[in-house]
């Protein structure tokens, strides 16, 4: 059963964004950025892993990975909930989809969105509001007992 996202924006913190050059070396910086924003989150390890997957996809499968490309990471949080978005310069005619690979498949690539689908409470993709690419996001929900937010 899918957990609902917060219905009140009054409990959510302001979204925090950072733009990164579309270089493979920047994926580690994107993970660190999310780790700083969600430092008290009990799902921190999952959040940084999934951020890494989405950032890798952004620079591998979109214009964000070209010479002057960029991608942006946006983090939103509320008690018991966090959402991370990776905004890229992606192809609007194709929506990213999990591959649902066989666990014994030895291919090195193609499992990132399978992980996002398996480990997040919800995820999705949509065109960016400015029409310049897409936004791929995931949400994590956890028990709120002792939640510092």
């Amino acid at each position: 059963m899918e957990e609902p996202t917060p219905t009140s924006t009054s409990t959510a913190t302001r979204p925090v964004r950072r733009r990164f050059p579309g270089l493979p070396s920047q994926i580690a910086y994107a993970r660190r950025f999310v780790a700083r924003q969600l430092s008290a989150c009990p799902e921190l390890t999952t959040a940084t892993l999934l951020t890494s997957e989405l950032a890798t996809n952004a620079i591998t499968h979109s214009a964000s990975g070209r010479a002057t490309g960029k991608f942006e990471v946006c983090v939103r949080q509320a008690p018991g909930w966090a959402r991370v978005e990776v905004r890229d310069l992606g192809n609007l005619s194709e929506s990213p989809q999990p591959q649902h690979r066989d666990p014994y498949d030895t291919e090195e690539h193609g499992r990132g969105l399978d992980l996002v689908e398996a480990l997040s409470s919800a995820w999705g993709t949509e065109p960016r509001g400015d029409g310049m690419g897409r936004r791929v996001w995931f949400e994590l929900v956890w028990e709120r007992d002792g939640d510092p937010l």
Side-chain angles (χ1 to χ4, degrees):
M1 183 163 118
E2 191 171 302
E3 295 285 331
T5 58
T7 55
S8 170
T9 56
S10 65
T11 61
T13 60
R14 289 184 65 135
V16 180
R17 295 180 172 85
R18 182 167 170 204
R19 191 169 293 150
F20 299 90
L23 302 169
S25 62
Q26 296 300 301
I27 295 167
Y29 292 105
R31 279 194 310 266
R32 285 186 209 131
F33 168 71
V34 170
R36 279 193 308 274
Q37 302 312 310
L38 301 177
S39 61
C41 170
E43 294 290 333
L44 180 60
T45 301
T46 302
T48 56
L49 170 65
L50 299 185
T51 299
S52 182
E53 294 300 335
L54 296 187
T56 298
N57 283 355
I59 64 170
T60 303
H61 301 295
S62 82
S64 291
R66 293 192 183 143
T68 59
K70 295 174 177 48
F71 67 96
E72 183 179 79
V73 177
C74 177
V75 179
R76 301 167 195 249
Q77 58 183 316
W81 174 86
R83 176 178 171 128
V84 176
E85 301 175 356
V86 174
R87 300 168 182 187
D88 63 28
L89 302 172
N91 179 353
L92 297 178
S93 64
E94 285 185 34
S95 193
Q97 299 294 321
Q99 299 295 307
H100 300 291
R101 296 268 176 120
D102 183 297
Y104 299 106
D105 186 343
T106 59
E107 283 294 315
E108 190 172 316
H109 302 287
R111 290 184 183 79
L113 290 179
D114 288 344
L115 281 172
V116 173
E117 183 178 64
L119 299 177
S120 66
S121 302
W123 80 280
T125 181
E126 56 213 25
R128 285 177 27 182
D130 60 9
M132 302 277 300
R134 70 178 160 231
R135 172 176 39 231
V136 183
W137 55 269
F138 65 86
E139 294 178 351
L140 299 171
V141 177
W142 59 89
E143 252 334 287
R144 291 172 55 176
D145 293 343
D147 193 340
L149 294 176

